[in-house]
Amino acid sequence: MTWVSACKLDDIEQEGAIRFDHGGRTYAIYRGPDDSVYCTAGLCTHEAIHLADGLVMDFEVECPKHSGAFDYRTGAAIRLPACENLKTYPAEVVDGEVRVALA
């Protein structure tokens, strides 16, 4: 596993998300209401829409196209039409910088 610098913590609003592209793939990085950080695959499993453009509340992200929702801590699909879980990746903050562990 390789740790990659993705952004500054301050680049993400609390209860927000940003898109992160690396190695030809898209990821979404989330900042929880408690300032924790998480990373998932960046596209909705229902129709490949960028999740970073969706509504983030508490620990959920809602797809902006069909309102499917995921728990971004675990990747679990929690509201239809999303029925396939998201892949998740370890994330951490080091000296104000968000890093994600990518395979």
Side-chain angles (χ1 to χ4, degrees):
M1 210 171 349
T2 303
W3 288 91
V4 177
S5 295
C7 63
K8 298 286 186 194
L9 180 62
D10 291 341
D11 292 341
I12 312 170
E13 291 181 24
Q14 197 171 39
E15 292 189 274
I18 64 165
R19 178 178 168 180
F20 173 63
D21 296 322
H22 180 77
R25 293 187 176 186
T26 296
Y27 305 90
I29 301 172
Y30 309 89
R31 182 175 178 178
D34 59 357
D35 286 332
S36 54
V37 291
Y38 301 88
C39 180
T40 69
L43 301 176
C44 179
T45 57
H46 174 242
E47 276 205 21
I49 303 300
H50 290 280
L51 291 171
D53 295 333
L55 175 66
V56 177
M57 288 189 68
D58 294 321
F59 294 101
E60 296 179 13
V61 59
E62 180 182 272
C63 177
K65 186 163 186 178
H66 292 120
S67 300
F70 301 89
D71 181 326
Y72 59 77
R73 296 171 296 183
T74 63
I78 55 176
R79 187 171 60 236
L80 295 172
C83 57
E84 183 180 333
N85 296 342
L86 292 170
K87 183 165 176 63
T88 60
Y89 303 88
E92 66 181 8
V93 178
V94 176
D95 296 327
E97 189 169 324
V98 177
R99 300 183 335 154
V100 295
L102 306 175

